[in-house]
Amino acid sequence: MQVHSFIAIINKTSAKAKKIASDTAFLQDREYHYYASDDCRFHVAFKLRKQNKNKAENYAFGNYGRLILGDSYDVDYHKQEQQNISASSALIEYNLKERDCLKVFTSIVGLPPVFLYEDADYVIITSDIYLLSSLTMTRLQFDIEGLIDLGKIGHPVNGRTLFKNVRLLPGGSSLQLHTDGRSVLSLAWKFPEADPLKDWNSYIDLQIGAFKNSLKAINLSDTFLSLTAGLDTRTIFAALIQEGLIIPACTMTGKPISLDAMTARSLCKFYGFHHEMIFLNESFYKNLPDYILQASRLSGGLSSLEQAHEIFFNERAHNLAGNRLSGNLGNQICRRGVEKTSMRNINLSILNEQLIRTKKEYSGDYWFINLGRDKGDINYEFL
């Protein structure tokens, strides 16, 4: 069953075992399903995605469950001969009656994210860091190296987050948890070996083929294209046309209508796609503080104002379809002369003395600094 969010809590010591307090914030949302083991050492709570609510009436939740976080179009989790690893979704299996109570399989790319929190008393697995802040047994504190990552790079790296004791599980991995808190993290997927290709054209053809096959594998029955008329989404748009796949398209714009929105509208009209525009209107500005807060919560504190419009867009566009097909980073990485991405590199002297002292022992490194550089540009070998 596909879920919107989830959290699983293991109490390492039976002395403190009890049901989660009824005043826990996210449990006030009646859409959350909550279950606990008989000894109250293991708890699981989850919220279903909207398109699965009707299916839930015929699904027996309780002592055992299989939860899918993300889109499972590329793997059939019910086939025993297949590994429980997907390119685009995480699988969570829980069993309230067994000592080996929880298994987590992250996606190959590590998204959607799955976070691990651990202290002396608890191990917690969750899809969203903000759910941790609702629990009375946890107290989130800033992680110094994570903050330095944020200042130097723009986001935490190497599995770190902005908070102590909270780590991002690596992609393509499996995590098994026992009711006493013991855990085993292992690599569940690795890139298959292949013979070197003879030339760059063969490599490009391989990329094109992989892209088209991935697009055709997606269930587009309840999907809209987030069309900006930029490099990424125009590539997706062209592939949809080539494969004869017609889905609704949607573009965000202000007033007057942006050049992107006008281009997207013209493209859709010519090729027979239904197109809608979502305007950043008075409703957006009136509720901007709420959208900023939601952006911060959903990003684990990494974004706020800069992603508030995305919260608004998703809220409005999902009236068009349940899933959003979009692109990311094509312009920023590959066309660095036009829309480049770069390190944040703030002056860390604006931070407090403790952070500045810690910087001397900072061990952070990042692929973007060292990999694939050719006179300051990304070279063909890297691409």
Side-chain angles (χ1 to χ4, degrees):
M1 187 64 67
Q2 287 180 291
V3 294
H4 168 274
S5 52
F6 83 95
I7 188 167
I9 303 165
I10 296 174
N11 190 331
K12 295 180 181 180
T13 59
S14 58
K16 296 183 179 181
K18 60 181 181 179
K19 286 201 171 184
I20 298 176
S22 59
D23 60 352
T24 301
F26 63 85
L27 290 182
Q28 303 308 301
D29 184 343
R30 294 183 179 181
E31 294 185 351
Y32 266 93
H33 298 256
Y34 167 67
Y35 304 96
S37 60
D38 293 337
D39 60 5
C40 290
R41 292 186 62 178
F42 178 46
H43 314 257
V44 62
F46 52 88
K47 180 179 179 179
L48 297 176
R49 290 180 65 167
K50 289 182 179 180
Q51 55 266 50
N52 282 283
K53 289 178 183 177
N54 294 332
K55 298 178 184 178
E57 296 177 1
N58 301 316
Y59 190 92
F61 293 113
N63 291 327
Y64 173 80
R66 289 163 64 87
L67 311 176
I68 299 171
L69 183 68
D71 296 311
S72 58
Y73 67 87
D74 61 339
V75 64
D76 186 349
Y77 287 119
H78 298 287
K79 290 185 178 179
Q80 296 299 319
E81 68 272 16
Q82 285 191 318
Q83 289 183 316
N84 291 317
I85 296 294
S86 163
S88 59
S89 61
L91 173 66
I92 302 94
E93 296 181 333
Y94 71 88
N95 193 326
L96 300 178
K97 296 294 185 180
E98 298 291 336
R99 292 186 180 277
D100 292 321
C101 58
L102 188 69
K103 296 179 181 178
V104 179
F105 300 88
T106 60
S107 73
I108 290 173
V109 296
L111 295 173
V114 179
F115 299 97
L116 169 66
Y117 170 91
E118 184 169 11
D119 61 21
D121 297 316
Y122 295 94
V123 177
I124 302 174
I125 304 294
T126 184
S127 58
D128 296 273
I129 292 177
Y130 76 85
L131 294 178
L132 294 171
S133 64
S134 298
L135 300 173
T136 57
M137 74 280 285
T138 59
R139 183 184 176 188
L140 292 179
Q141 296 177 313
F142 283 123
D143 178 81
I144 293 175
E145 286 202 343
L147 289 176
I148 295 176
D149 284 341
L150 180 65
K152 289 175 64 67
I153 297 167
H155 56 81
V157 297
N158 298 328
R160 289 189 285 267
T161 68
L162 294 182
F163 304 100
K164 284 183 180 179
N165 303 326
V166 183
R167 296 191 63 81
L168 175 67
L169 292 181
S173 64
S174 69
L175 177 70
Q176 297 190 40
L177 284 166
H178 193 276
T179 50
D180 63 7
R182 287 184 290 115
S183 63
V184 178
L185 179 65
S186 58
L187 183 66
W189 183 91
K190 63 179 181 180
F191 205 91
E193 293 185 8
D195 295 330
L197 298 174
K198 61 181 181 180
D199 53 39
W200 283 113
N201 288 334
S202 299
Y203 183 64
I204 292 171
D205 289 340
L206 179 66
Q207 288 179 305
I208 293 171
F211 173 73
K212 288 183 177 180
N213 290 336
S214 296
L215 187 63
K216 287 188 288 186
I218 299 174
N219 182 356
L220 298 174
S221 60
D222 186 32
T223 302
F224 72 91
L225 173 63
S226 179
L227 183 58
T228 65
L231 174 65
D232 298 340
T233 55
R234 275 189 290 121
T235 301
I236 297 171
F237 187 76
L240 289 171
I241 294 168
Q242 193 173 48
E243 299 299 329
L245 302 170
I246 307 297
I247 61 175
C250 195
T251 308
M252 179 165 46
T253 181
K255 290 185 177 180
I257 297 174
S258 67
L259 178 60
D260 259 10
M262 288 189 287
T263 304
R265 180 176 61 186
S266 298
L267 284 170
C268 288
K269 183 178 180 180
F270 185 84
Y271 287 102
F273 282 61
H274 173 74
H275 180 259
E276 291 189 13
M277 294 185 189
I278 292 180
F279 291 90
L280 295 173
N281 53 22
E282 291 301 318
S283 176
F284 169 71
Y285 297 112
K286 180 180 178 180
N287 296 292
L288 183 58
D290 291 335
Y291 293 129
I292 290 172
L293 179 59
Q294 288 186 58
S296 180
R297 292 175 71 196
L298 292 173
S299 66
L302 297 178
S303 297
S304 53
L305 179 60
E306 62 184 3
Q307 291 297 319
H309 64 285
E310 289 287 346
I311 304 296
F312 175 79
F313 177 79
N314 284 328
E315 183 183 273
R316 299 301 176 92
H318 275 84
N319 295 324
L320 189 62
N323 301 304
R324 177 182 179 184
L325 183 62
S326 185
N328 190 35
L329 293 180
N331 279 346
Q332 290 80 359
I333 297 295
C334 299
R335 292 172 56 189
R336 294 181 65 251
V338 181
E339 294 185 49
K340 67 177 181 179
T341 188
S342 61
M343 311 292 284
R344 181 165 289 174
N345 284 327
I346 69 166
N347 185 344
L348 293 179
S349 65
I350 67 172
L351 304 176
N352 65 33
E353 292 183 3
Q354 183 183 8
L355 285 174
I356 295 172
R357 286 197 303 269
T358 305
K359 178 178 179 294
K360 297 177 182 179
E361 303 172 2
Y362 174 69
S363 59
D365 199 2
Y366 194 47
W367 61 266
F368 198 75
I369 303 173
N370 305 313
L371 198 63
R373 294 290 176 174
D374 183 13
K375 297 180 181 179
D377 296 322
I378 296 177
N379 59 32
Y380 284 113
E381 284 77 6
F382 171 71
L383 293 177

